[in-house]
Amino acid sequence: MSSGERVEARIGITGRVQGVGFRPFIYRMAVRNGLLGYVINLGDAGVEVVVEGEKSQVTRFLRDVREEAPEVSEIEDIVTEHRPYRGKFTEFVIDKSQNRGRVASGIYPPDIGICPQCLEDMATPGSRWYEYPFTACAWCGPRFTSVRSLPYDRERTHMHEFPMCEHCRKDYYDPMDRRFDAQGITCSVCGPKMTLYDTHGKPMESDDPFIEVAEHLMEGSIVAVKGIGGIHLASLATRDDVIEEFRRRKNRPYQPLALMSQDLDSVRTYAKLDDDEVRVIQSWRRPIVLLKKRHGVISELVAPGLDTVGVMLPYTGIQTMLFKRLSEPALIMTSGNKKGLPMAISNRAAFDELGGIADYYLLHNRDIVNRSDDSVLRMIEGNIAFTRRSRGYVPDPVDVPLKKGIGISFGAELRNAAAVATNGKVFMTQYLGDTDTLEGLRFEEEAIQIMRDLLNVTRDPDVMGCDLHPGYMTSQMAEVISRETGVTLVRSQHHHAHIVSVMAENNVSRDDEILGIALDGAGYGPDRQIWGGEILKSTYNGFERLGHLENLPMPGGDLCAYHPYRMLVAGLSNAVTGDIIRDITENHVKKALPHGKMELEVVLKQLKNPEILKTSSSGRFLDSIAALLGATYYRSYEGEPAMRLEALASEGTPELIDYAIEINRIDGKYVLNTSNTLYYLSNILNKHKKQDIAAFGQKYLSDGVSEMAIKASEDTGISVIGLSGGVLVNEYITKSLMKTLCKAGLNVLFNTWVPPGDGGTALGQVCKALDSVI
Ligand SMILES: [Zn+2]
Ligand SMILES: [Zn+2]
Ligand SMILES: [Zn+2]
């Protein structure tokens, strides 16, 4: 040993350093560098390391900690304080006295995809984990989906029924072992097991259920596969007949189905990936990433009419084993739920709710505590745009500038998520699906309660937030709770909530005003009309509407969302007479409206009603163009017409169509005309390719809205623009808005940590609510 200067150092490390095997990592690095001392858990404050040794050893130790930290950990800050050497320690220890080594509230990690070391254990014959599908360690495995309550001890997780065997116990207490202190540690001797069940739910005897499942899949069967956050339905992705049958049984004619592939090479046979997409699809969070399709390898019926396909890589040992027994480029792996119900998570629910869909059930005897669907996102210019934020991301919080108080918010209605705010952080719940049913609402209540338990929020919140829409069941539930508890309820206009979500995740100061562009499907406005294409001057708790898309009538209200041709007729009616509309629609109306000409006459009559509901929705504008082009006449899932339009548009050249943006000034607001545009496009249907018209429609919307925002910025002197709303998952529109607004010298903010769609509104609601009362 050399005799350099000896020191004592106190090192504070903050960030994601809990529940990810960080202390044993510190232990190994300290021992490797010959240091003595201890590491201790400080709960919310991170970990504290005290070491003594030579100065150069401490320097090397700090370098190793930064360079070799477990992938899932995120070091925010390392603060080192040198003290005089005292020679106090005789060894390096993991001190569990403070917080008793437990994860404190608010810093609990999301589920972590299986790590390379565990995969290696599964691939090594003779190992205790050879082909064992529940292999996990301190660095990987279920987290959020496994825990009932804190503190994070084995008894409070889904492992409580599986006491550790002698070997596992040894690893658990050995700080040099990767499984040291890992609550999910288990092996083939002591852990859960897989069982294959037949159509009637009867267990099937089998030495290797994975071989049998692979055979059944190859025969074209649909198999329910229980994982960590829920139960998937799996089938071949290469055979049209199998997918047709799948869709028939699921009663989902067109909704895109997610795929899972063994590795990136398999993905590349049917989809294109750039570097950003490779990074995110391979990350430990393992989301579904929407990728551009290549044609030929997988069936076109996986995502009919779309140019993207959702793909993920295996994140559990169960999925790894499945692919080991198969040689397919991809499998369909979609959430196993009955229409209108959240995904099944128990074996009982699998048989009850997926009976009639699944032919076989590959299940296990470990509980799924918290349901969590796969997250879905796409990369736009290197940034994440979520369509669903759930497994792998929840419960990672959003840091917001509202630092005080406890708030709870209930979100919108479809594809919903709720939020709990405490200590300057907002925790979004997992994806709730549609909360317009009693089952959906019950799930929402449960999800909020679980989040409160994990965060140790036991007292009533200071304030609650919900949508302004009186008809949303979530608003009604919020009202009931507010009445029962006396907690103040703050309602948010839907698009204001979208904009506040952008402000919050970008840490816009509470004193600042921004201009928000909300491009969305539908939200209730204070004028009782349906909004959805808005320029809002916003603070956290207030807004002024400076511009919007033209108000178009909605004959039959919500019917317009399901039958976009109605919306087209309504749009045209603002520009031309009924007779001209009859001419334009003559050759299409039979296919485009369920009751053909008769229905058209009813619609034209409805349009004469001066009391008719009106909408400025940009989603409905895009839907109308999709209907005009015959891309779809019936919306079988949320967002379908606009998504089909986007697929068409991706092959078009918008510049081929020369038509000027028309912005009017009505009641002191900028109004982007859309009815004349629809009429113009209906006139050039025969002169231009559908693809070009589709592309032009998107361009008109993004250019028109940018122009209104730029004018509003000149009027107000505000140069920060926040973009949000469901339309922002459209790649072309988002890119084009960013480009135009940046070129005009504006500072553009968008959602990258919560969905720009309705899964992000709870964030805006809770921030508005906190800002209003605290
Ligand atoms: Zn692992
Ligand atoms: Zn064991
Ligand atoms: Zn919305």
Side-chain angles (χ1 to χ4, degrees), residues 23 86 219 344 364 383 396 413 474 583 623 717 754:
R23 283 169 309 131
R86 293 181 292 171
E219 286 159 7
H364 54 70
N383 296 305
D396 270 357
E413 188 161 67
T474 53
D583 272 358
D623 290 0
V754 299

Side-chain angles (χ1 to χ4, degrees), residues 378 518-522 532-533 549-550 552 560-569 571 615-635 638-650 654 672-675 677-678 681 690-705 724-734 736-737:
R378 79 191 292 180
L519 300 183
D520 203 32
L549 263 59
E550 180 182 355
L552 301 179
C560 288
Y562 292 96
H563 300 281
Y565 209 80
R566 273 182 173 255
M567 207 53 233
L568 172 68
V569 170
T615 184
S616 54
S617 162
S618 36
R620 296 296 90 82
F621 173 64
L622 295 171
D623 290 0
S624 310
I625 300 172
L628 176 71
L629 298 174
T632 186
Y633 292 129
Y634 178 71
R635 181 185 95 174
E638 163 116 335
E640 181 180 12
M643 282 162 76
R644 285 176 179 262
L645 184 77
E646 185 179 6
L648 262 185
S650 71
L672 177 65
N673 184 289
T674 51
S675 58
T677 318
L678 289 172
L681 296 180
K690 279 183 180 181
Q691 288 82 348
D692 297 337
I693 296 177
F696 175 79
Q698 296 186 158
K699 182 173 162 25
Y700 184 83
L701 176 64
S702 52
D703 286 357
V705 168
S724 193
V727 173
L728 272 297
V729 296
N730 179 304
E731 189 183 16
Y732 173 86
I733 292 176
T734 299
S736 156
L737 283 169

Side-chain angles (χ1 to χ4, degrees), residues 494-495 498 520 522 726 757-758 761:
H494 185 82
H495 302 104
H498 274 305
D520 203 32
D758 286 2
T761 53

Side-chain angles (χ1 to χ4, degrees), residues 376 385-389 409-419 428-436 444 465-469 472 474-475 492-499 501-502 505 518-524 530-532 558 617-620 635 638-639 723-729 751 753-766:
V376 185
F386 282 105
T387 49
R388 192 201 280 170
R389 183 179 182 274
S409 61
F410 298 85
E413 188 161 67
L414 301 180
R415 296 177 168 208
N416 204 9
M428 305 295 290
T429 66
Q430 68 268 47
Y431 172 74
L432 302 173
D434 296 346
T435 44
D436 60 346
E444 172 156 17
C466 73
D467 198 283
L468 185 65
H469 200 312
Y472 282 177
T474 53
S475 307
S492 293
Q493 195 282 323
H494 185 82
H495 302 104
H496 182 231
H498 274 305
I499 299 306
S501 79
V502 180
E505 71 161 276
L519 300 183
D520 203 32
Y524 191 74
I530 305 299
W531 292 15
D558 257 2
S617 162
S618 36
R620 296 296 90 82
R635 181 185 95 174
E638 163 116 335
L723 309 179
S724 193
V727 173
L728 272 297
V729 296
N751 296 109
W753 197 227
V754 299
D758 286 2
T761 53
L763 171 61
Q765 290 171 0
V766 82

Side-chain angles (χ1 to χ4, degrees), residues 340-609:
L341 291 186
M343 175 171 52
I345 55 173
S346 70
N347 295 6
R348 186 72 265 150
F351 300 132
D352 288 351
E353 292 162 19
L354 306 179
I357 304 176
D359 297 303
Y360 298 94
Y361 302 82
L362 179 62
L363 306 177
H364 54 70
N365 55 342
R366 186 171 75 180
D367 288 345
I368 295 172
V369 180
N370 295 322
R371 176 187 292 114
S372 197
D373 284 77
D374 298 312
S375 293
V376 185
L377 57 86
R378 79 191 292 180
M379 297 304 288
I380 301 182
E381 301 270 298
N383 296 305
I384 288 176
F386 282 105
T387 49
R388 192 201 280 170
R389 183 179 182 274
S390 208
R391 182 197 41 81
Y393 292 89
V394 173
D396 270 357
V398 189
D399 282 303
V400 299
L402 291 305
K403 294 298 178 201
K404 284 195 197 130
I406 293 173
I408 290 177
S409 61
F410 298 85
E413 188 161 67
L414 301 180
R415 296 177 168 208
N416 204 9
V420 177
T422 175
N423 288 324
K425 291 177 194 295
V426 176
F427 295 81
M428 305 295 290
T429 66
Q430 68 268 47
Y431 172 74
L432 302 173
D434 296 346
T435 44
D436 60 346
T437 61
L438 283 177
E439 291 84 357
L441 273 192
R442 203 169 305 141
F443 179 26
E444 172 156 17
E445 262 184 309
E446 264 172 46
I448 292 173
Q449 192 52 52
I450 283 159
M451 203 52 95
R452 290 179 64 156
D453 289 347
L454 288 181
L455 297 169
N456 205 14
V457 171
T458 46
R459 69 168 172 91
D460 275 344
D462 299 300
V463 67
M464 298 192 300
C466 73
D467 198 283
L468 185 65
H469 200 312
Y472 282 177
M473 285 175 78
T474 53
S475 307
Q476 292 161 6
M477 177 163 78
E479 229 161 77
V480 171
I481 297 174
S482 166
R483 229 177 295 135
E484 283 171 359
T485 58
V487 175
T488 309
L489 179 63
V490 176
R491 283 163 232 270
S492 293
Q493 195 282 323
H494 185 82
H495 302 104
H496 182 231
H498 274 305
I499 299 306
V500 176
S501 79
V502 180
M503 297 173 69
E505 71 161 276
N506 288 282
N507 241 304
V508 170
S509 141
R510 287 176 71 178
D511 308 322
D512 280 354
E513 265 183 333
I514 74 161
L515 290 176
I517 299 181
L519 300 183
D520 203 32
Y524 191 74
D527 58 358
R528 299 178 178 214
Q529 304 299 315
I530 305 299
W531 292 15
E534 313 302 319
I535 312 282
L536 305 178
K537 186 173 84 165
S538 297
T539 60
Y540 279 94
N541 65 46
F543 71 92
E544 187 188 339
R545 192 187 200 193
L546 300 183
H548 57 88
L549 263 59
E550 180 182 355
N551 286 320
L552 301 179
M554 289 181 87
D558 257 2
L559 269 183
C560 288
Y562 292 96
H563 300 281
Y565 209 80
R566 273 182 173 255
M567 207 53 233
L568 172 68
V569 170
L572 291 171
S573 78
N574 260 23
V576 294
T577 64
D579 281 341
I580 298 178
I581 294 174
R582 285 187 190 92
D583 272 358
I584 295 171
T585 57
E586 175 74 30
N587 300 323
H588 311 282
V589 73
K590 235 174 100 184
K591 278 181 296 177
L593 290 173
H595 305 287
K597 283 195 177 161
M598 209 174 72
E599 188 170 343
L600 175 68
E601 292 308 319
V602 174
V603 169
L604 290 173
K605 211 153 138 202
Q606 287 172 334
L607 286 167
K608 292 209 175 95
N609 178 358

